[in-house]
Amino acid sequence: MTQPTAADLALRLPSLRLLTDAGDLEHYGRDWTRRWTPAPLAIALPSSIEEVQGVVRWANEHGVAVVPSGGRTGLSGGAVAAHGELVLSLERMNRVLGFDAVDRTLTVQPGIALEAVHAAAREHDLVYPVDFAARGSCSIGGNIATNAGGIRVIRYGNTREWIAGLKVVAGNGELLDLNRGLIKNSSGYDLRQLMIGSEGTLGIVVEATLRLTDPPPSSQVMLLALPDMDALMRVFALFRAQLSLQAFEFFTDVALKHVLEHGAQRALDGDHPYYVVTEFEAPDERAQEAALAAFEQGVEQGLISDGVLAQSDAQAAALWRLREGITESLAPHKPYKNDISVRIGAVPAFLHEIQSLLAREYPHIEVVWFGHIGDGNLHINVLKPESLADADFIAQCEHVTKLLAATLQRQGGSISAEHGIGLVKRPYLESTRSAAEIALMRGVKGVFDPNGILNPGKVFP
Ligand code: MLT
Ligand code: ZN
């Protein structure tokens, strides 16, 4: 039997936009991981739900693998097409479809950027509160596919909390209309929630109804310098007890070095091993005084060495850049990314265990720690030394990730807190999910995608 080609798909759907130029295949076949060589069959750019269904039906009939594609800002290889897959890019389906003032929901197409969702919500004096640094490039469909977290999970939770309804095309081309914006719905399994975080392996999101909320009260941003690792969680406990935290993010001196080299501005003098950027609600003088009191308490207890409170929006943005600019500043060093989580209570012990593991295994390799410590989510980025070949570097990182996974398994943590399993963490899924769970997950995959055409090779070991 001959292999189906892009020309066959064009014959079936003459009005579908299809790209096959080498430059396009390269551009759409990779995500931010940059580890795999893109080699897709073609890029399909549907402009309607019906066209998505047409593409999926064709792929299903011919056994062609489909990689759903949004902003491709993913860090786990979930949107990589390296084995002749058809990339189904949702980028042309990027409109706001409607706003419901009574339900306070925004209905959007999947290709819309997170930043555009924020702007659309603001037009109605409301907010869509999920937020992270890739806001300008990532798409809401990808956010849903990975259950994206980010910098305000501590206050608002993950993407999962904000999805009131989803339209999804399953692996046989069938359109599912899940939950339809209902707040209360106890009519059996919540298939909407099953789709969220399924990394394009169960269905393709073609429309989403997002919950919006009131804008938060005005807030303040503070940068703190801490003397040691133990202070991190103690300062977190102190601040959380006294303030309404919107964000509590940490990074190390090594991360700071990179972000400063990348153009961010130094905000504190001196060298400190750990830093925290925190944002808290400060609508009135009382809340502002509480923040200063918490800061002073931290200093008196020897937990805080220095700090700065932003005095303007521009200064707040500059402090945030120290944290949000880290990913971009590390990109040229081809980092191997670990994105792990443990229960908040387990963070201190975990930090110590991992610090000694990394010091032992990577004595000469630069390791950058940062992340959403208030959610128990740490990003551990390992930078490739120039002297090490790519393959040797990956092999060494995988060895260490294996050790990390074993520690996580013992502590009941997760090998992926927010980036997803994709290709990068596929070998370690078993450290986080039991054999029984993985068997059930495979069963679920078979129900929604009987011929296994949706993002094959992703998630499952
Ligand atoms: C972030 O929080 O900045 C990203 O999720 C982390 C990363 O680049 O590893
Ligand atoms: Zn993150």
Side-chain angles (χ1 to χ4, degrees):
M1 201 176 103
T2 52
Q3 286 297 314
T5 63
D8 298 333
L9 177 57
L11 271 180
R12 170 82 161 257
L13 298 169
S15 56
L16 174 71
R17 189 179 293 176
L18 264 179
L19 306 174
T20 51
D21 283 357
D24 292 321
L25 299 183
E26 158 112 26
H27 175 70
Y28 287 93
R30 58 163 40 141
D31 62 10
W32 277 8
T33 47
R34 296 286 185 271
R35 195 158 121 194
W36 289 270
T37 307
L41 171 73
I43 318 302
L45 292 130
S47 60
S48 66
I49 293 178
E50 293 72 24
E51 272 194 343
V52 174
Q53 288 182 278
V55 172
V56 173
R57 282 197 188 110
W58 176 83
N60 193 40
E61 283 163 26
H62 295 89
V64 173
V66 174
V67 176
S69 180
R72 293 180 307 286
T73 58
L75 298 165
S76 294
V80 167
H83 297 104
E85 302 95 330
L86 177 69
V87 173
L88 194 156
S89 165
L90 281 312
E91 77 179 22
R92 292 177 70 209
M93 295 173 64
N94 61 0
R95 285 181 300 118
V96 173
L97 298 175
F99 167 70
D100 188 314
V102 177
D103 279 291
R104 305 221 291 185
T105 56
L106 195 68
T107 297
V108 296
Q109 292 185 309
I112 189 169
L114 176 60
E115 196 168 60
V117 169
H118 290 159
R122 263 198 313 273
E123 277 175 28
H124 302 285
D125 298 320
L126 292 168
V127 294
Y128 176 71
V130 177
D131 193 20
F132 43 89
R135 61 182 75 80
S137 326
C138 68
S139 71
I140 199 77
N143 292 185
I144 294 166
T146 53
N147 183 28
I151 54 178
R152 298 191 195 273
V153 170
I154 199 172
R155 170 74 178 82
Y156 294 107
N158 296 289
T159 298
R160 179 177 301 296
E161 331 285 337
W162 298 93
I163 307 302
L166 274 186
K167 285 189 184 164
V168 171
V169 173
N172 59 1
E174 195 171 350
L175 179 65
L176 306 171
D177 188 359
L178 306 175
N179 199 57
R180 305 177 305 280
L182 298 173
I183 292 176
K184 301 186 80 171
N185 183 3
S186 290
S187 59
Y189 306 151
D190 192 338
L191 303 181
R192 157 197 57 162
Q193 290 295 349
L194 197 52
M195 287 290 161
I196 301 169
S198 64
E199 301 186 44
T201 62
L202 298 182
I204 299 172
V205 174
V206 289
E207 194 178 299
T209 296
L210 314 175
R211 286 203 301 124
L212 306 180
T213 188
D214 291 316
S218 57
S219 58
Q220 289 191 318
V221 178
M222 212 186 245
L223 174 70
L224 306 170
L226 312 188
D228 51 46
M229 198 181 249
D230 285 335
L232 276 172
M233 294 316 276
R234 293 177 64 194
V235 172
F236 173 60
L238 181 69
F239 273 51
R240 190 165 64 163
Q242 300 186 29
L243 307 172
S244 291
L245 295 179
Q246 286 264 336
F248 193 91
E249 300 276 315
F250 96 110
F251 52 93
T252 61
D253 50 352
V254 186
L256 180 68
K257 178 191 82 179
H258 284 281
V259 92
L260 292 177
E261 279 168 9
H262 217 74
Q265 277 170 11
R266 180 177 282 282
L268 286 173
D269 290 331
D271 295 326
H272 309 275
Y274 295 94
Y275 295 88
V276 164
V277 172
T278 179
E279 183 160 344
F280 45 87
E281 293 173 9
D284 51 33
E285 238 167 73
R286 245 181 69 187
Q288 291 161 15
E289 280 163 14
L292 289 177
F295 174 77
E296 274 158 24
Q297 247 174 287
V299 173
E300 276 159 26
Q301 292 173 23
L303 304 174
I304 299 176
S305 323
D306 202 354
V308 54
L309 178 67
Q311 301 298 326
S312 64
D313 287 352
Q315 204 183 353
L319 295 186
W320 263 119
R321 185 163 175 209
L322 296 173
R323 162 63 185 91
E324 293 204 299
I326 296 172
T327 298
E328 200 185 322
S329 75
L330 300 182
H333 303 278
K334 300 191 180 167
Y336 180 94
K337 289 175 179 289
N338 288 294
D339 157 46
I340 61 88
S341 64
V342 289
R343 283 178 304 103
I344 299 172
V347 170
F350 182 77
L351 284 176
H352 281 286
E353 194 166 340
I354 294 310
Q355 196 180 39
S356 48
L357 172 93
L358 296 177
R360 190 182 73 228
E361 298 292 328
Y362 288 134
H364 307 300
I365 293 188
E366 200 167 28
V367 182
V368 188
W369 299 55
F370 59 102
H372 321 283
I373 190 112
D375 308 316
N377 174 191
L378 310 179
H379 296 311
I380 305 168
N381 281 221
V382 187
L383 308 194
K384 192 183 98 54
E386 272 178 29
S387 57
L388 210 56
D390 283 7
D392 294 340
F393 173 63
I394 297 287
Q396 189 169 350
C397 290
E398 291 193 331
H399 161 71
V400 176
T401 299
K402 218 160 141 187
L403 301 175
L404 192 65
T407 306
L408 285 165
Q409 189 162 23
R410 242 183 301 114
Q411 305 231 4
S414 173
I415 194 72
S416 175
E418 57 173 7
H419 295 169
I421 296 294
L423 292 172
V424 177
K425 294 293 154 33
R426 191 178 60 173
Y428 314 101
L429 183 68
E430 281 137 329
S431 68
T432 295
R433 313 297 294 263
S434 68
E437 276 184 292
I438 294 173
L440 287 169
M441 283 163 64
R442 283 187 192 280
V444 170
K445 163 89 175 155
V447 170
F448 283 92
D449 178 25
N451 292 320
I453 61 155
L454 294 181
N455 228 1
K458 314 290 166 51
V459 180
F460 294 102

